[in-house]
Amino acid sequence: MLGSGALIVMDHTVNIVEAALRMSYFYMHESCGKCTPCREGTRWMYQILNDIQNGKGSSKQVEKLEDICDNMSFKCFCALGDAAVAPVASSIMHFRSDYDELIKNLESDEVSA
Amino acid sequence: MSEDINITINDQPVSVPKGTLVVEAAKKIGIEIPVFCYHEKLGPFGCCRMCLVEVEKMPKLTTACTQTVMPDMVVKTESPKVIKAQQGVLEFTLLNHPLDCPVCDKGGECPLQNNTFKYGPGDTRMEFDRANRDKATPLSPVITIDRERCIACQRCTRYSDIIEQESALVMLNRGFNNEVGTFNNEPYDTKYSGNVIDICPVGALTNTQFRFKARTWDLDNSATLCAHCGCNCNMTLGSRTNKFMRIETRPNDLVDDGWVCDKARFGYDFIESDHRIVEATNLVDGEYKVAKTLEIARQTAESLKKIVDEYGPESIGFIGSPFGTNEELYLYHKLFRFTLGTNNLDHKIYIDTPGLPVDHYDFLNVETANLVLLIGSDPAEELPILDLRIKKAITRKGVKLAILNDQKTELDKIADLSLMYDVGSDEIALAALANSLALELDIEMVEGETSDESLTGIAERRMKEMAELVRTAMKVCVVYNPASLTGNSIFMLKHLLGVINKIPTMECGAIPAAPFTNSLGAMDMGILPDYYPGGISSSDSGKVDQVWGDGSSLQSKGLSALEMIDKAESGELKALLVYRNNPVIDFPDRKRVESALKKLSLLVVHDMMKTETSVLATTVLPSNGPGYDEGTTTNIGGRVQYRKRGLNTKNSPDWKIISKMINSLSEKPIEYLTSFSVTEELSQTVPGYSEISKKSIKKEGKTREKIESANGVVPEIGKVESSGQGLKLRIAEQLFAKDKILDASSPLAHHFLPSTLCLHKKDALKLDLSNGDQAILAANGVEVKAIVEVSNRCNPGAVIVPRVSDDQGLLRLSRSCSVNWVEVKKPKVE
Amino acid sequence: MFVFTSEDENKIEKIIKKYPVKQSALLPLLTLVQRREGYISPEAMQAIGKKLDLSPGYVQSVMSFYTMYHTEPTGKYIILFCHNISCQLNGADNLFAYTGQKLGVSGGGTTEDKKFTLHKEECLAACCGAPMMRINDIFHENLTKEKIDQILDSLP
Ligand code: SF4
Ligand code: SF4
Ligand code: FES
Ligand code: FES
């Protein structure tokens, strides 16, 4: 579920983490702030994705993301929280390799440094 | 009635009325479901998600604070799914919450701490710096907000919206950036703002005065009552090492519905004021000499007795207080009536009589009536928590509101009908309404012309609308302020009550809403010249003797407080004991009062604060007053409650001082052990109080039995005073005024208004005055400065002047408790 | 001081009539003021509150929720520059930076001559024309640097 009944087609040149990051920014911005899981969760997910995208992430954080998704799903006041989970959870599920790549880069950088 | 619904929670069955929330059903069987945003007075909201529970057959977890019970529902509050959700929600809640607990005022009584402890994850997985926001900024002069600590539960903003009906405190911005705030950053300073401190589930909203003063678990808490107005709200006074620390709510749904106003919370500085009277003094050769309190009490009694012996019992008098406790006032009644033999007792300057021809309604009846008829009362300014109750009834309980007043008030906004009579025409306006109803009922009417618009400023048609509202209401709660009525209008009001009561199938009750703390108790305890306790007329010697023993009734007709001043002036009154009252400021015509009091050979002032009257006294006795005193008070709803001592003092309690005076003149002294010994005695002697006891009032107080009003004849309309010059003066009481209780250094000083006079625009035009002008109120050779407000707050021909401070000296402008005239003029240009 | 013009008053009356409760007219009234004044001042919030029997605090709470209401004076042209996913994938970030530089308001804001106000905005529902921006009421789609130059330069 990305957007409102619209389809966005991306080819392989797009890094899915960047896309997920952009979408999580959107949800953070759209969260009305009324309920706790959505208000706090959207921001936390954005912060973590931002780390990963900027090469500062770890695989532990990806697992944490998955658990945050679980803690938000169906526990928010309205469906925005569930929608916010979708791009993050599905991108991890289907494109875990994109995440791993960004994390591995970091880990090998650290080794060589 | 609604049928009950059976559900099970954690395998325990419970049966609750339809519409009950799951969280409440659980509470009923002792199962706690953690909450943050839910508050029983605010209703369901569902934003914090702390209360998630599992309900069989529901695909998702649901919030127990919004979910109502359904037949055969099966709820689980401790399943693994629920536990995971609770930990998740708490992790989110704490994600950006600062680690302030060690320095946070909420520590020890913080729902966030408690829930985290019981239901939280042991650890945090937050790897980023917590978001920073403004720390400890003033939300008002009395409330500090720490936005970092806020968990956005919106209890405070919903309180401002739903309970206060002000929407002054709101949620600004959105998402993660939302914050509790006010319009344009203005202070949040409603009259009931402090309640948000108690309902905030974290330390985001704190009491500025109490900040960092003590840890909550170190406080000694006393379950006591507020002593500022006739609501008698329940509150907790917290102290530490006998120092006053703070006031909090102590919910009693029958009185305060869980709230107190800011005068209760922030208006207790007087407890430590330098102006307190703490020792007994005697004026000897122009100098005050300190002596032992009880010794001076004995001397005082003997001096009074001597004067009685020499000049007769009519030569002494007692001006009591609507602020004293029942016990104190009861003992004074005994001292003056039985020990000294005079009926010269009073406590007020307006005319009122005990008893009602209809039921005496309690606060809860405001909600259960179909119509509240508010007469001459301004609850927002006089009785704030009654104001909240009326707002609740009107906005959430479907009750209608009709207002008959001589001034515009806040509640007009939500009234179904609001009619404004000319200042001073209250008697005719009340008669007009009574006649409009009586006509249809075919019962005796008040004689004379009442419906002419020129008499009251209210068109006949409008008055008929009001009569129609009343007639069709089935259940009417009349709330009236006897202190705002002029002359003898109280009799017309009671006649009106009687007429309403005669409407077929009508249920009618009334709340006599005098603003002062224990006005009702003062009347019940017989601090009236013409009534013994329990509303027994002084002239009914049979009844008096029956209750008090043969020979208890007195021949003389007593003097009212104002008459006592007259007689003091003429030299017929020789001695006066003034108890917690300040006639110099609070009675009309200061100059005359002062010169009258100076003529007395004995003026005893028994008070807790130095006043303009106490400086004239020949003897001063200390009164402990709220905080240090204890005893019962009777609120405007007739509920008798116990005002517990909050702080210790070495000084003798007032009841001991008074009983000392009685005993030093009696052959059979009665020694009371505690204030409750007096309560016990008065419950046996004061009609209506027979069920009042330490035990019966302990939990939530107890209403005393209704006191019947003497069966009245249809009153006549008095002569209308139309001879005056200038405009008719209406003084409007303000609870938040700069008086002896709230002085200049009070944290509530931001509520003090400048001296203001409110005009109708027609008069403003005639006087060539406009908004903001300086003007002078002149009468009695006295001038009072005020700023003009052209607000149509009253009909033409009158001026409304809020009583904003003692220094203003407003009562100097009046001469009596009926209509007073003032001239409004421009100041002379120099 | 903020006052409604008599033309406003007429409009407001019509707007209020459309709704069963007055309060519902809040967003249309905010929009009316935003369009005419370019922003909503505290005085305007008070005036709106009076019209609808709402506290000014309530008006502000609603107003501050929406990013398209401005609390500071804005330029003649308000540029809402979409930077959401579709537009971003099509280069919106660079174009936004370019526009900011061109106008001398990097990161957004109002130009000194008060002609333009530049703001980032979330999806404006014109993804098929991404990247896009909205200037006052007009959508400009399939943007390039050249196109942006041309559009901005042509505005009077
Ligand atoms: S200030 Fe307190 S009561 Fe108000 S929203 Fe924040 S946490 Fe809730
Ligand atoms: S309403 Fe009256 S009794 Fe209640 S807290 Fe305020 S002053 Fe005290
Ligand atoms: S207590 Fe139920 S959602 Fe807050
Ligand atoms: S993402 Fe730009 S219009 Fe939808």
Side-chain angles (χ1 to χ4, degrees):
Chain A
M1 194 162 89
L2 305 173
S4 342
L7 275 182
I8 302 174
V9 182
M10 305 174 212
D11 66 12
H12 65 280
T13 62
V14 175
N15 176 350
I16 204 70
V17 177
E18 191 183 346
L21 173 66
R22 188 59 202 76
M23 283 184 272
S24 75
Y25 179 89
F26 167 76
Y27 284 110
M28 174 175 75
H29 179 269
E30 293 309 303
S31 171
C32 77
K34 173 168 169 164
C35 81
T36 312
C38 173
R39 181 186 64 245
E40 300 290 332
T42 52
R43 183 168 180 272
W44 196 10
M45 291 201 299
Y46 173 76
Q47 287 176 311
I48 295 176
L49 284 166
N50 204 31
D51 260 13
I52 297 175
Q53 166 69 15
N54 288 310
K56 291 187 275 177
S58 67
S59 40
K60 259 225 179 98
Q61 278 179 306
V62 182
E63 277 135 42
K64 187 152 64 181
L65 270 180
E66 286 179 302
D67 193 52
I68 296 173
C69 288
D70 181 53
N71 283 346
M72 286 175 70
S73 301
F74 305 118
K75 296 181 188 69
C76 296
F77 187 84
C78 81
L80 191 118
D82 299 333
V85 162
V88 181
S90 63
S91 66
I92 298 176
M93 195 196 303
H94 300 295
F95 301 95
R96 174 77 195 223
S97 56
D98 279 23
Y99 283 85
D100 290 341
E101 207 172 304
L102 283 163
I103 290 161
K104 222 178 280 138
N105 283 349
L106 167 82
E107 279 159 7
S108 53
D109 276 0
E110 267 173 3
V111 173
S112 62
Chain B
M1 282 310 293
S2 62
E3 73 274 35
D4 276 3
I5 288 189
N6 297 316
I7 70 169
T8 45
I9 306 178
N10 298 351
D11 301 326
Q12 275 190 67
V14 59
S15 159
V16 285
K18 197 173 161 197
T20 305
L21 297 167
V22 171
V23 67
E24 293 292 347
K27 219 184 269 173
K28 197 175 164 196
I29 46 172
I31 294 177
E32 189 197 65
I33 297 174
V35 301
F36 289 123
C37 69
Y38 176 70
H39 186 285
E40 54 166 347
K41 299 291 174 195
L42 301 172
F45 192 59
C47 80
C48 74
R49 319 306 285 173
M50 188 64 244
C51 65
L52 288 168
V53 294
E54 199 174 340
V55 177
E56 255 175 34
K57 300 205 185 90
M58 283 197 186
K60 305 194 274 181
L61 299 182
T62 184
T63 41
C65 74
T66 58
Q67 179 70 53
T68 51
V69 292
M70 300 288 171
D72 304 322
M73 196 178 220
V74 178
V75 181
K76 288 182 203 144
T77 75
E78 291 170 339
S79 67
K81 259 196 190 167
V82 172
I83 290 173
K84 169 99 186 354
Q86 287 173 338
Q87 295 191 343
V89 168
L90 273 163
E91 182 178 44
F92 288 134
T93 310
L94 292 164
L95 209 58
N96 285 287
H97 191 81
L99 299 169
D100 281 357
C101 296
V103 294
C104 177
D105 281 315
K106 199 78 174 185
E109 53 181 20
C110 175
L112 181 56
Q113 267 185 340
N114 297 344
N115 284 347
T116 304
F117 196 69
K118 282 198 217 157
Y119 308 99
D123 217 344
T124 177
R125 297 181 293 170
M126 175 69 163
E127 62 273 67
F128 304 100
D129 288 344
R130 289 181 164 79
N132 285 115
R133 294 180 193 236
D134 289 346
K135 294 294 289 177
T137 48
L139 187 63
S140 80
V142 288
I143 304 175
T144 300
I145 185 163
D146 186 315
R147 294 201 166 88
E148 265 178 19
R149 294 181 190 159
C150 172
I151 61 169
C153 72
Q154 300 207 44
R155 276 185 176 190
C156 57
T157 56
R158 282 182 292 144
Y159 168 83
S160 190
D161 173 23
I162 300 168
I163 308 293
E164 295 183 331
Q165 294 282 313
E166 306 246 5
S167 286
L169 199 61
V170 292
M171 203 49 127
L172 298 171
N173 307 330
R174 86 145 94 163
F176 188 77
N177 295 317
N178 65 5
E179 63 175 38
V180 169
T182 56
F183 170 68
N184 215 15
N185 251 327
E186 286 171 1
Y188 169 55
D189 58 3
T190 64
K191 293 197 180 63
Y192 345 75
S193 66
N195 290 318
V196 298
I197 298 168
D198 289 351
I199 59 175
C200 179
V202 295
L205 297 168
T206 49
N207 180 330
T208 305
Q209 274 190 303
F210 177 63
R211 274 176 77 79
F212 306 131
K213 277 228 198 127
R215 300 305 326 214
T216 54
W217 55 85
D218 285 332
L219 295 180
D220 293 319
N221 289 317
S222 162
T224 185
L225 307 179
C226 174
H228 286 320
C229 87
C231 293
N232 297 189
C233 299
N234 296 194
M235 62 183 208
T236 304
L237 188 155
S239 64
R240 181 158 152 69
T241 60
N242 210 32
K243 284 257 169 329
F244 171 81
M245 288 289 140
R246 69 166 179 190
I247 300 290
E248 286 201 294
T249 50
R250 183 168 66 87
N252 180 346
D253 285 358
L254 301 173
V255 180
D256 46 57
D257 213 17
W259 315 117
V260 296
C261 77
D262 283 8
K263 183 148 176 183
R265 196 180 300 264
F266 306 112
Y268 273 79
D269 271 23
F270 69 89
I271 287 183
E272 291 166 348
S273 162
D274 294 340
H275 304 302
R276 288 189 77 88
I277 297 173
V278 288
E279 47 198 11
T281 48
N282 251 335
L283 193 62
V284 186
D285 302 330
E287 250 180 83
Y288 283 105
K289 292 255 157 57
V290 179
K292 284 218 177 85
T293 303
L294 292 180
E295 175 53 24
I296 293 205
R298 190 189 57 80
Q299 288 171 15
T300 302
E302 280 165 7
S303 310
L304 284 166
K305 181 74 173 116
K306 229 162 96 197
I307 293 173
V308 171
D309 289 343
E310 196 167 331
Y311 301 98
E314 281 81 69
S315 65
I316 63 163
F318 172 69
I319 295 180
S321 166
F323 293 98
T325 64
N326 291 331
E327 290 69 20
E328 294 152 3
L329 295 166
Y330 171 80
L331 290 176
Y332 265 127
H333 140 79
K334 274 180 72 178
L335 172 66
F336 278 85
R337 282 221 165 85
F338 302 143
T339 315
L340 295 165
T342 184
N343 263 331
N344 294 346
L345 291 91
D346 204 356
H347 69 281
K348 55 176 179 37
I349 55 171
Y350 55 91
I351 298 174
D352 197 2
T353 56
L356 291 170
V358 293
D359 284 346
H360 194 133
Y361 272 176
D362 199 358
F363 280 43
L364 215 51
N365 294 103
V366 172
E367 288 176 30
T368 56
N370 296 324
L371 175 76
V372 171
L373 172 58
L374 198 60
I375 300 178
S377 169
D378 183 0
E381 296 297 346
E382 297 162 353
L383 299 152
I385 296 301
L386 173 66
D387 182 55
L388 291 189
R389 181 76 74 159
I390 293 175
K391 283 175 177 166
K392 177 183 183 186
I394 308 310
T395 61
R396 309 196 282 295
K397 298 281 171 185
V399 180
K400 285 193 174 153
L401 177 63
I403 299 181
L404 191 58
N405 205 340
D406 56 1
Q407 60 164 340
K408 265 195 214 150
T409 62
E410 276 292 305
L411 283 172
D412 288 344
K413 271 197 293 204
I414 54 167
D416 294 85
L417 179 63
S418 168
L419 301 181
M420 194 150 70
Y421 55 80
D422 295 344
V423 169
S425 72
D426 39 350
E427 193 173 43
I428 307 178
L430 293 167
L433 181 55
N435 279 355
S436 190
L437 290 164
L439 188 66
E440 303 258 324
L441 293 169
D442 202 16
I443 54 175
E444 200 185 337
M445 309 205 343
V446 180
E447 266 176 52
E449 174 59 50
T450 55
S451 55
D452 193 338
E453 185 173 351
S454 69
L455 295 171
T456 57
I458 298 175
E460 190 178 1
R461 172 182 56 85
R462 301 290 281 163
M463 196 55 102
K464 280 211 171 116
E465 269 175 55
M466 180 154 295
E468 204 45 40
L469 264 179
V470 174
R471 196 192 338 268
T472 53
M474 314 280 282
K475 183 167 180 190
V476 177
C477 172
V478 181
V479 177
Y480 68 93
N481 176 6
S484 81
L485 299 179
T486 60
N488 285 318
S489 303
I490 186 71
F491 300 107
M492 195 59 79
L493 185 125
K494 291 197 177 169
H495 167 67
L496 169 65
L497 293 178
V499 173
I500 297 176
N501 214 25
K502 291 206 180 86
I503 299 170
T505 72
M506 170 64 74
E507 262 182 79
C508 177
I511 298 182
F516 322 107
T517 311
N518 196 23
S519 288
L520 206 61
M523 298 227 281
D524 289 351
M525 296 306 131
I527 309 301
L528 293 167
D530 36 8
Y531 288 91
Y532 277 53
I536 299 175
S537 167
S538 311
S539 55
D540 189 348
S541 52
K543 195 93 179 274
V544 170
D545 287 351
Q546 185 196 326
V547 175
W548 299 94
D550 282 342
S552 299
S553 73
L554 299 168
Q555 295 306 313
S556 68
K557 203 186 148 300
L559 301 174
S560 72
L562 291 175
E563 286 164 347
M564 285 185 237
I565 301 293
D566 292 343
K567 297 281 179 188
E569 197 183 23
S570 66
E572 290 160 79
L573 196 83
K574 306 285 178 201
L576 188 61
L577 195 154
V578 177
Y579 178 58
R580 296 186 54 189
N581 207 322
N582 186 10
V584 173
I585 292 294
D586 296 336
F587 284 29
D589 203 348
R590 172 173 185 166
K591 255 206 216 119
R592 198 172 74 90
V593 173
E594 274 175 330
S595 76
L597 295 180
K598 281 183 194 155
K599 284 193 184 148
L600 294 163
S601 50
L602 182 68
L603 173 62
V604 185
V605 172
H606 183 185
D607 207 335
M608 62 170 196
M609 291 292 202
K610 291 183 190 122
T611 65
E612 292 79 355
T613 304
S614 76
V615 297
L616 304 176
T618 51
T619 298
V620 176
L621 287 165
S623 164
N624 279 332
Y628 297 102
D629 69 3
E630 59 178 358
T632 63
T633 54
T634 308
N635 80 356
I636 54 176
R639 184 166 295 271
V640 184
Q641 301 181 95
Y642 178 50
R643 182 159 91 209
K644 197 177 171 191
R645 197 174 58 229
L647 298 162
N648 296 320
T649 170
K650 291 194 295 286
N651 292 349
S652 306
D654 293 20
W655 57 263
K656 211 174 230 172
I657 297 174
I658 311 164
S659 101
K660 177 76 187 181
M661 292 195 244
I662 298 174
N663 285 346
S664 37
L665 300 177
S666 324
E667 276 139 36
K668 282 184 283 171
I670 305 178
E671 296 296 340
Y672 302 103
L673 289 177
T674 65
S675 74
F676 276 124
S677 324
V678 186
T679 320
E680 202 184 312
E681 181 184 311
L682 73 84
S683 73
Q684 286 157 16
T685 50
V686 178
Y689 280 69
S690 62
E691 309 222 321
I692 303 303
S693 69
K694 183 174 178 179
K695 214 169 135 213
S696 73
I697 63 173
K698 192 162 185 242
K699 241 178 100 196
E700 43 198 21
K702 184 161 182 57
T703 47
R704 52 93 157 121
E705 282 154 57
K706 180 196 155 188
I707 288 172
E708 285 296 337
S709 66
N711 241 348
V713 276
V714 177
E716 283 169 25
I717 296 174
K719 231 181 81 225
V720 190
E721 252 187 84
S722 52
S723 53
Q725 284 280 319
L727 299 173
K728 281 175 277 178
L729 170 69
R730 160 72 142 107
I731 295 175
E733 281 298 329
Q734 301 268 126
L735 185 61
F736 288 66
K738 181 166 163 275
D739 54 14
K740 299 288 172 294
I741 295 296
L742 305 181
D743 58 15
S745 65
S746 165
L748 292 173
H750 58 288
H751 280 286
F752 300 161
L753 298 172
S755 179
T756 307
L757 61 89
C758 309
L759 288 176
H760 190 274
K761 66 171 183 274
K762 276 193 193 154
D763 292 315
L765 211 64
K766 267 191 231 156
L767 296 162
D768 187 26
L769 288 168
S770 39
N771 254 330
D773 284 357
Q774 283 284 348
I776 304 267
L777 292 150
N780 282 350
V782 174
E783 298 199 333
V784 172
K785 280 194 203 144
I787 297 167
V788 176
E789 187 185 296
V790 185
S791 51
N792 298 356
R793 183 161 158 187
C794 56
N795 289 339
V799 55
I800 307 243
V801 190
R803 195 170 154 191
V804 298
S805 79
D806 281 359
D807 317 333
Q808 192 187 17
L810 260 193
L811 274 103
R812 290 178 300 159
L813 295 170
S814 53
R815 282 186 186 282
S816 69
C817 62
S818 56
V819 184
N820 291 284
W821 299 78
V822 283
E823 231 185 299
V824 175
K825 52 187 187 187
K826 293 191 170 196
K828 279 201 197 79
V829 223
E830 322 228 312
Chain C
M1 255 280 285
F2 176 90
V3 269
F4 288 116
T5 62
S6 59
E7 193 191 328
D8 288 345
E9 299 278 358
N10 288 336
K11 276 193 204 156
I12 291 171
E13 206 177 299
K14 275 193 208 128
I15 295 172
I16 292 178
K17 270 202 201 118
K18 280 199 229 163
Y19 301 98
V21 284
K22 263 187 179 179
Q23 183 173 2
S24 310
L26 179 51
L27 289 180
L29 257 59
L30 285 166
T31 307
L32 183 129
V33 174
Q34 166 69 43
R35 275 175 183 272
R36 208 192 55 222
E37 305 276 303
Y39 78 113
I40 300 165
S41 64
E43 291 75 31
M45 291 182 227
Q46 280 171 315
I48 293 173
K50 272 225 179 80
K51 278 264 172 283
L52 303 177
D53 293 333
L54 297 169
S55 80
Y58 184 83
V59 175
Q60 188 177 350
S61 94
V62 171
M63 189 225 55
S64 63
F65 186 85
Y66 295 98
T67 51
M68 289 185 193
Y69 295 127
H70 298 270
T71 50
E72 298 289 331
T74 47
K76 184 171 175 197
Y77 299 101
I78 299 178
I79 308 172
L80 300 177
F81 212 109
C82 178
H83 72 149
N84 209 325
I85 183 79
S86 306
C87 292
Q88 189 216 23
L89 291 173
N90 284 295
D93 287 352
N94 281 336
L95 292 174
F96 176 80
Y98 174 76
T99 312
Q101 249 161 32
K102 179 179 164 72
L103 297 176
V105 285
S106 310
T110 300
T111 58
E112 244 164 59
D113 61 1
K114 302 267 170 334
K115 189 165 175 190
F116 294 104
T117 296
L118 176 65
H119 270 293
K120 276 188 187 165
E121 197 45 82
E122 295 303 331
C123 180
L124 288 162
C127 302
C128 31
M132 63 80 65
M133 66 179 172
R134 171 179 165 163
I135 303 185
N136 291 351
D137 284 344
I138 312 288
F139 280 34
H140 300 275
E141 303 183 357
N142 302 314
L143 297 177
T144 58
K145 285 185 185 169
E146 295 70 38
K147 204 160 170 193
I148 289 173
D149 284 343
Q150 195 194 325
I151 296 165
L152 295 187
D153 295 347
S154 71
L155 288 172

